[in-house]
Structures are given as C-alpha cells and as structure tokens.
Amino acid sequence: AWVTVSQSCEIEDLLRDLAQKLFSEIRRKVPEGLESMHSDKLKMIIKELLERRRYLVVFDDMWHMHEWEAVKYALPKNNCGSRIMITTRKSDLAFISSSIESKGKVYNLQPLKEDEARELFCRKTFQAISGVLATKDKHRIDEWSMICRCLGSEIQVNSKLDNLKTVLCLSFNDLPYYLKYCFLYLSMFPEDYQIQRMRLIRLWIAEGFIEAKDGKTVEDVAEDYLKELLNRNLLQVAERTSDGRVKTLRIHDLLREIIILKSKDQNFATIVKEQNVVSPEKLRRLALHGTLPNPNGQQQRSVSQLRSLLMFGVSEILSLGKLFPGGFKLLGVLDYQDSPLKKFPVAVNDLYHLTYLSLKNTQI
C-alpha cells in the first residue's frame, strides 16, 4: 500500500487511508463504520489484516515523528519478509525512525549522473517550463533574456508552475517560527553565493533571531538552527574543513527565488541590483548586489527605519552620509565584507544601535 502523508495530517485519517488501501489491495470489502472508527480500532483492524501476510507499506512524505509513532504499532513484525518504507524531507526523522526499529536503513537520495539528469530534464521538467516558454515570442530576444534572469517572477504568476511553487512552499511553511526569519535572511545573499558558516551565524545573532537557551551559548543555539535547516534539506553544504565541519553553505536557486518572494511579501528585506530601483516605503534590511543606489533617488526618504545593510560585489564605496542623506540612526548591522573600502567609515561613530560591523577583506 502507498500512503501519502499530508503536512497537516490527522492520525485517524492516516490510519483510515492505510486501512482502505489495504482492503482494496486484497480485494476485500471495507468494513462498515470505518469512517467513524477511532485510532485504536483502526490499528487493530490493520494489524489483523497483515498478521499472516507479506506486505510492503510506503509512507510518502512523512513530516513528523509522532505520525510514525502512531502507525508503527499497527504494522506487525510477522517474520514474513515484510517491509516498511518512509520517504521524508527531514534527515533527523529518517535516522531516528530507522534507529528505533530493528535493521532499519537510511538511504540518502544521491544526485543523478549528468546524462541521466539531462534525460530527466528533457523528459519531465521541460514539460512544466515549456508552458512558460510557449507564451513567449520566438523573435523577441528580450523576452527570452527575461526568462533566463527572472524565472522566479514566472513562478509567481504562471499557473503552469504552481505545483512546483506549492511543493517548495510546503517546506517553508512547515518551519517553526524561530527558523523562518533565519531562512528568509538567506534571500539577502546573491545567487550561487557561498555563505560562510560563521558569518551567517554572527549575522543571525546580531539580528536577534537566536533565542538563548539554558546551558547553551547563543552560538550553540545558532549552530542547532543551522543543522535543522540542513536536516530539512533547505540548505546545502558547499565546502567542509579538513576535519569535516561545515565551512560554507549555499541555497538552491529555486528555493532562493521562493524566499525572495516571501521576503518581498513580508517586507523582510530589499535587494538592490540597479541604481534607480523602486524600494518599499520603509526599508528594514537592504542588500546591495554589485551597485549602489542613486543617492538622489527614492532611498532618501525610506531609510530612517533601516536596521541592516549588507554589500556584495560593490566596486565603489560612497560614504554612508552621501549614500543615505536622509539618515539611518537605527542601523544595527553593517557588513562591508569584501568591498573596496579604504578608510574607516566615520559615520559609524554615530550609530548607537550598531551591534555588528564587518570590515573583513576590505582595504582598511
């Protein structure tokens, strides 16, 4: 039997679905009153049905450990060569459920070989994206360039890709509240950027995303948050140190597009790639990618609420006073890392709320 586990699954619904599929597989009539049976009765029926049979049950996309705890007692160990398979996005759930049960094994899905990946893309994935491409004029190079640059906006508005968006959003929506801000923060980093682990942890702490816990430093708690995002496969390890510790991380392009949309919807952060970009009325966090905003433009009136400023690939540096003439007295995070800064920014002396300043790899 193949049972798909929904994100907001009720245990009795899960057991009822399993029972119905088992009766269907063995071509027996479903007992009367199954729809109103409580969980203990459902477990008993399933166990009696499978007691002397060799069975394979697949629980697809399981989200929570309590779901497995509830259904495992309905599945008898009958020494008939039966097997139970669980698919999950969460590494910790896979390891815990397999270690609790005897002879359990965890299989980590490995990337396809290049030729196999290309075949799958052409055969399956292109069917979805072709719906987007089919609407474009083949003679308009600018439209195809836009697709190349802005797949994220196409995901937002094109119904052909709604399923893809929904699947990715499920993983975000399942995050506990304390991880959502940490994950949204990744939207500020450029595409394909390798994020240094300690830089990310220090930024999270400076932003106030990390809650202190008894017996742990905030750094330890931040490490736990990072491990949880890795366990949920929302982050990927890009590079490790010689002793196996995580050194740098990256986020998949499609997931990044999703959190950029989420970040924009919640006015969590603003990314500037062009000088005259139109920004929200109140900027809270600002990431500059490769360019500086026009100091005479709209930013003048919108940075009074600015809390964080990060710069990536900026080739020239203006003083903060010239960059934001309207003032930025609430700034708490200022990250100049890897920028061509030659003099210490004197405006920092007036930033009384500043808790994080990075001048790493500058020319100071």
Side-chain angles (χ1 to χ4, degrees), residues 313-328:
V314 175
S315 58
E316 59 175 332
I317 293 292
L318 289 176
S319 69
L320 290 176
K322 291 182 179 179
L323 192 58
F324 303 120
F328 42 86

Side-chain angles (χ1 to χ4, degrees), residues 203-216:
L203 284 168
W204 281 350
I205 293 171
E207 292 281 358
F209 298 156
I210 309 301
E211 298 180 353
K213 294 183 180 179
D214 292 340
K216 287 189 174 184

Side-chain angles (χ1 to χ4, degrees), residues 217 236 270:
T217 65
Q236 301 170 332
T270 300

Side-chain angles (χ1 to χ4, degrees), residues 91-290:
S91 301
D92 55 346
L93 193 154
F95 282 103
I96 292 172
S97 60
S98 66
S99 61
I100 292 174
E101 304 308 311
S102 60
K103 299 181 180 179
K105 294 182 180 180
V106 175
Y107 177 76
N108 290 303
L109 194 61
Q110 300 299 315
L112 293 173
K113 296 177 182 178
E114 185 175 347
D115 55 340
E116 294 172 337
R118 186 182 296 110
E119 180 185 355
L120 178 63
F121 176 80
C122 294
R123 182 161 45 91
K124 295 289 185 183
T125 311
F126 191 76
Q127 293 175 6
I129 300 178
S130 62
V132 176
L133 303 183
T135 65
K136 305 304 174 186
D137 187 338
K138 64 181 180 181
H139 301 295
R140 291 280 303 276
I141 295 178
D142 58 320
E143 289 194 358
W144 292 88
S145 298
M146 182 192 70
I147 290 293
C148 181
R149 295 192 308 269
C150 306
L151 181 58
S153 61
E154 291 290 336
I155 290 175
Q156 186 179 24
V157 302
N158 197 294
S159 59
K160 299 287 186 181
L161 298 177
D162 276 350
N163 288 340
L164 177 59
K165 180 182 176 183
T166 300
V167 169
L168 294 177
C169 284
L170 276 175
S171 291
F172 176 82
N173 294 335
D174 185 60
L175 289 174
Y177 73 94
Y178 57 84
L179 280 183
K180 283 185 177 177
Y181 283 152
C182 293
F183 192 48
L184 284 177
Y185 203 76
L186 299 170
S187 66
M188 298 181 70
F189 292 87
E191 185 177 3
D192 299 325
Y193 190 86
Q194 292 200 6
I195 307 167
Q196 294 172 328
R197 176 180 62 89
M198 283 311 302
R199 181 186 188 184
L200 182 61
I201 284 174
R202 288 167 183 153
L203 284 168
W204 281 350
I205 293 171
E207 292 281 358
F209 298 156
I210 309 301
E211 298 180 353
K213 294 183 180 179
D214 292 340
K216 287 189 174 184
T217 65
V218 286
E219 288 81 5
D220 290 337
V221 176
E223 289 277 10
D224 290 342
Y225 287 6
L226 188 60
K227 288 176 184 176
E228 188 165 354
L229 289 174
L230 286 167
N231 285 338
R232 290 169 176 264
N233 295 304
L234 294 174
L235 271 176
Q236 301 170 332
V237 176
E239 189 179 4
R240 293 186 181 272
T241 61
S242 57
D243 58 356
R245 291 180 298 167
V246 175
K247 183 177 181 181
T248 60
L249 307 120
R250 59 173 173 252
I251 183 170
H252 192 280
D253 290 348
L254 285 178
L255 270 174
R256 179 177 175 271
E257 295 289 356
I258 293 295
I259 60 172
I260 286 175
L261 297 177
K262 293 279 187 184
S263 179
K264 185 177 180 181
D265 289 343
Q266 300 179 24
N267 194 21
F268 178 86
T270 300
I271 300 170
V272 172
K273 296 181 180 180
E274 300 173 6
Q275 281 197 340
N276 297 312
V277 67
V278 176
S279 60
E281 182 66 27
K282 292 182 179 180
L283 281 173
R284 290 180 172 84
R285 297 177 184 87
L286 178 62
L288 306 180
H289 291 186

